[in-house]
C-alpha cells in the first residue's frame, strides 16, 4: 500500500501540473457518501466527484447494471453496430426532459463534448454562427467551450485567442451590483454594436451557474431570454451538465422555469460515475444535422448507458427529487445558524435550489466582500478533519455542497459538524 505522500510525489513526476488536485489524499475505496484514502482514513464526501454522484459512490443498482452489461459487450461503436441501451436511454430522456414537443437525444462522453455539440447543432439548424453566453458561466475546457466559459483564470489564460463569434453578457448578481435589467440592456447593446440577432445561432446559459458560484438565473431573465430567442429565431440552450438529475429538486433545473429550452446538454450525474454525456433537443432541430455530422467513437458507451438507465430507476424509486428538497432544507437550516455566530469565520446566507447549496466566505462580519483565500483555507481545514468539500465562485469565495442525495441524515449531520468545526478553527492555523 502506498502512502498519500508517495503517490503525490509520483503524480508530480508523471502528470502535468495543468490538471490540478483539490486534495492530496488518494482514494482507495468509496461507498455512497463516504470514501477512504490509501492510508485507511475515512472522509465524508460533500464534493460528489464535482456533482457526478447524485446516487452516491457505487450504488448497488448501478454496479449490478454495469456488471450485467460487461457480460454482454463493452463496445461496438454506436455508429457501426448500434445497441438497445442507447436507444432505451434516449427514449426515456426524451419523455422526461422539459422540451416542447417531440424530442431526440444523442450521447457523447464528456460535458464539454455535449456543450460543443449543442453549438454544432444550433449552427446547423439556424444557418448562423454566433453564440452568446454569460460572464462566470462554465461550459468546458475544449477550445470552443473554453471560449464560451465566462472566466479567464484559470480556464483561458495562456491558451491564445478563443474561436470567433462568441460573446458574453453580464450575469445578474446583486452581490456584484448586476441586475436583470443590466443583463438585458447589455444584450441590446450587443445586438446594436457587435452582432445582429439575425447572426446569432444560440444563447447558452446554466440554469444555476456551477463554477461561477451556484447563482440561479432569475425567472424574469429566463423568460426574457426565451422571448428574445423566439422573436429572432435564436435557439435557447440550457447547460444542465451540473444541475441535472435531481440535484436542484427537479429532475432538470429548467423545470423550475415557466419556459423551455430548445436544447439541453447533460452529463455528470447521468451515469452514476461512468463517463456519459448527451444533448436532448427538439426533434426538428436535432434532425437538421445530416448523417455523419455528429458522433464519436466512444459516445454513448453501452456500459455507461446501462449505468444511466439504472440511475433513472434509482431517482424514481428512491424519490431522489423529493430527497433533494428535504436535504436542501436540512443543509440550509444548519448553514443559517452559522451566519450569526461570532465564534465562526464570517459567511453569507446559503443559496441554491434543492440540494445544490452554496455559501460565501466573507472578509468581514456583516460585510459582503468575498474572501477567496479564506475559502481555500477552509476547504483545507475541513479536509484535515475528514470532510471533502470544494470552493468555486468569481473570486474563489464560494463553498459548494454536492453531497450524494442518497447520503443518510447521520452522514449529512456528521459532515456539517465537521464543517462547523472547520469554520471555528483559525484559518491561518
Amino acid at each position: 500500500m502506498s502512502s498519500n505522500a508517495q503517490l503525490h510525489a509520483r503524480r508530480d513526476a508523471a502528470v502535468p501540473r495543468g490538471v490540478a488536485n483539490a486534495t492530496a489524499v488518494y482514494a482507495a475505496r468509496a461507498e455512497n457518501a463516504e470514501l477512504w484514502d490509501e492510508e485507511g482514513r475515512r472522509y465524508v464526501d460533500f464534493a460528489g466527484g464535482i456533482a457526478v454522484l447524485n446516487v452516491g459512490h457505487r450504488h448497488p443498482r448501478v454496479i449490478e447494471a454495469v456488471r450485467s452489461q460487461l457480460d454482454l459487450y463493452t463496445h461496438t461503436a454506436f455508429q457501426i453496430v448500434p445497441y438497445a441501451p442507447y436507444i432505451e436511454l434516449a427514449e426515456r430522456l426524451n419523455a422526461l426532459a422539459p422540451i416542447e414537443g417531440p424530442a431526440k437525444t444523442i450521447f457523447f462522453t464528456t460535458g464539454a463534448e455535449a456543450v460543443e455539440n449543442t453549438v454544432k447543432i444550433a449552427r446547423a439548424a439556424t444557418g448562423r454562427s454566433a453564440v452568446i453566453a454569460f460572464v462566470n458561466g462554465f461550459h468546458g475546457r475544449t477550445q470552443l467551450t473554453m471560449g464560451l466559459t465566462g472566466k479567464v483564470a484559470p480556464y483561458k489564460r495562456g491558451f491564445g485567442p478563443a474561436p470567433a463569434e462568441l460573446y458574453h453578457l453580464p450575469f445578474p448578481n446583486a452581490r456584484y451590483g448586476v441586475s436583470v435589467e443590466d443583463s438585458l440592456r447589455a444584450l441590446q447593446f450587443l445586438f446594436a454594436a457587435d452582432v445582429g440577432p439575425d447572426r446569432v445561432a444560440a444563447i447558452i446559459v446554466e440554469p444555476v451557474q456551477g463554477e461561477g458560484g451556484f447563482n440561479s438565473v432569475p425567472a424574469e431573465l429566463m423568460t426574457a431570454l426565451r422571448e428574445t430567442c423566439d422573436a429572432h429565431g435564436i435557439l435557447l440552450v440550457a447547460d444542465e451538465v451540473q444541475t441535472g438529475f435531481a440535484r436542484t429538486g427537479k429532475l432538470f433545473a429548467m423545470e423550475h422555469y415557466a419556459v423551455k429550452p430548445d436544447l439541453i446538454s447533460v452529463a455528470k450525474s447521468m451515469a452514476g460515475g461512468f463517463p456519459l454525456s448527451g444533448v436532448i433537443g427538439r426533434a426538428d432541430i436535432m434532425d437538421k444535422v445530416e448523417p455523419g455530422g455528429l458522433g464519436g467513437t466512444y459516445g454513448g458507451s453501452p456500459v455507461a448507458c446501462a449505468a444511466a438507465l439504472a440511475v433513472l430507476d434509482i431517482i424514481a424509486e428512491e424519490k431522489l427529487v423529493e430527497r433533494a428538497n428535504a436535504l436542501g432544507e436540512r443543509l440550509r437550516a444548519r448553514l443559517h445558524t452559522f451566519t450569526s455566530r461570532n465564534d465562526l469565520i464570517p459567511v453569507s446566507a446559503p443559496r441554491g435550489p434543492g440540494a445544490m447549496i452554496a455559501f460565501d466566505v466573507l472578509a468581514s462580519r456583516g460585510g459582503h466582500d468575498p474572501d477567496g483565500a479564506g475559502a481555500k483555507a477552509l476547504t483545507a481545514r475541513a479536509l484535515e478533519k475528514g470532510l471533502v468539500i470544494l470552493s468555486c465562485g468569481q473570486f474563489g469565495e464560494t463553498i459548494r455542497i454536492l453531497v450524494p442525495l442518497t447520503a443518510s441524515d447521520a452522514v449529512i449531520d456528521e459532515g456539517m459538524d465537521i464543517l462547523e468545526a472547520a469554520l471555528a478553527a483559525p484559518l491561518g492555523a
Side-chain angles (χ1 to χ4, degrees):
M1 180 178 68
S2 299
S3 70
N4 289 322
Q6 289 170 330
L7 283 169
H8 206 60
R10 289 167 58 189
R11 175 256 186 271
D12 284 346
V15 180
R17 67 189 186 97
V19 54
N21 301 114
T23 77
V25 299
Y26 286 76
R29 63 186 180 94
E31 296 287 343
N32 201 356
E34 302 166 86
L35 58 84
W36 289 260
D37 70 13
E38 287 280 352
E39 298 172 5
R41 186 179 180 193
R42 172 183 169 274
Y43 298 84
V44 175
D45 185 3
F46 270 23
I50 319 181
V52 168
L53 298 166
N54 287 358
V55 302
H57 291 277
R58 301 184 68 253
H59 192 289
R61 292 283 296 277
V62 172
I63 299 303
E64 178 187 5
V66 167
R67 283 177 175 154
S68 296
Q69 182 59 46
L70 289 173
D71 287 337
L72 300 174
Y73 53 91
T74 61
H75 176 78
T76 64
F78 186 75
Q79 294 131 251
I80 307 303
V81 179
Y83 36 85
Y86 188 116
I87 298 167
E88 182 180 352
L89 182 59
E91 289 171 338
R92 291 183 67 175
L93 291 174
N94 294 341
L96 292 167
I99 294 291
E100 193 68 47
K104 289 191 175 183
T105 296
I106 182 172
F107 296 113
F108 303 100
T109 308
T110 69
E113 194 180 2
V115 172
E116 188 141 338
N117 276 276
T118 64
V119 174
K120 288 176 61 177
I121 293 165
R123 285 173 167 173
T126 62
R128 306 171 181 182
S129 52
V131 181
I132 298 171
F134 283 85
V135 172
N136 282 329
F138 180 83
H139 300 289
R141 288 181 171 89
T142 65
Q143 192 71 11
L144 178 60
T145 58
M146 180 180 67
L148 290 170
T149 292
K151 188 176 182 180
V152 171
Y155 307 117
K156 300 183 182 185
R157 192 163 53 200
F159 295 118
E165 295 200 278
L166 304 181
Y167 302 90
H168 291 88
L169 300 176
F171 188 89
N173 190 325
R175 302 192 308 284
Y176 306 135
V178 181
S179 67
V180 170
E181 292 74 18
D182 292 332
S183 298
L184 294 176
R185 188 178 304 111
L187 177 60
Q188 295 309 311
F189 287 159
L190 181 68
F191 285 162
D194 290 318
V195 59
D198 60 338
R199 281 178 46 208
V200 177
I203 298 176
I204 184 168
V205 64
E206 299 165 278
V208 184
Q209 287 192 333
E211 297 295 320
F214 283 28
N215 302 300
S216 298
V217 174
E220 178 188 355
L221 177 61
M222 193 68 82
T223 297
L225 293 178
R226 179 72 274 176
E227 291 172 349
T228 298
C229 288
D230 290 343
H232 297 290
I234 300 168
L235 301 185
L236 181 60
V237 178
D239 182 347
E240 292 238 26
V241 167
Q242 188 162 164
T243 57
F245 301 98
R247 174 55 57 182
T248 68
K250 300 283 187 181
L251 187 62
F252 295 92
M254 283 301 300
E255 295 178 76
H256 289 285
Y257 299 94
V259 298
K260 297 178 180 180
D262 300 299
L263 300 169
I264 303 173
S265 58
V266 290
K268 288 193 180 283
S269 275
M270 177 161 60
F274 289 84
L276 185 67
S277 68
V279 178
I280 313 165
R282 283 172 36 200
D284 60 319
I285 293 171
M286 299 291 280
D287 279 338
K288 292 292 186 180
V289 182
E290 64 183 45
L294 301 174
T297 301
Y298 294 106
S301 156
V303 176
C305 286
L309 288 166
V311 165
L312 291 177
D313 290 339
I314 294 162
I315 290 172
E317 294 169 16
E318 298 187 16
K319 301 185 184 307
L320 293 189
V321 169
E322 294 86 346
R323 172 63 176 161
N325 288 312
L327 180 54
E329 290 178 7
R330 190 181 193 91
L331 292 168
R332 275 187 289 271
R334 184 74 180 274
L335 289 169
H336 270 296
T337 68
F338 298 164
T339 62
S340 58
R341 287 179 50 181
N342 293 327
D343 59 328
L344 303 181
I345 67 169
V347 297
S348 73
R351 61 180 178 274
M356 192 171 179
I357 304 297
F359 63 91
D360 297 330
V361 176
L362 303 175
S364 61
R365 197 168 310 283
H368 300 284
D369 292 337
D371 185 359
K376 184 176 181 180
L378 176 61
T379 62
R381 291 288 294 179
L383 186 70
E384 291 174 6
K385 296 175 181 297
L387 176 68
V388 180
I389 200 161
L390 300 174
S391 60
C392 63
Q394 182 172 350
F395 303 103
E397 76 277 23
T398 302
I399 300 296
R400 48 179 162 173
I401 298 177
L402 291 165
V403 63
L405 305 178
T406 49
S408 68
D409 287 347
V411 169
I412 295 294
D413 291 344
E414 180 185 1
M416 294 302 291
D417 289 344
I418 297 171
L419 177 60
E420 181 178 354
L423 285 165
L427 289 181

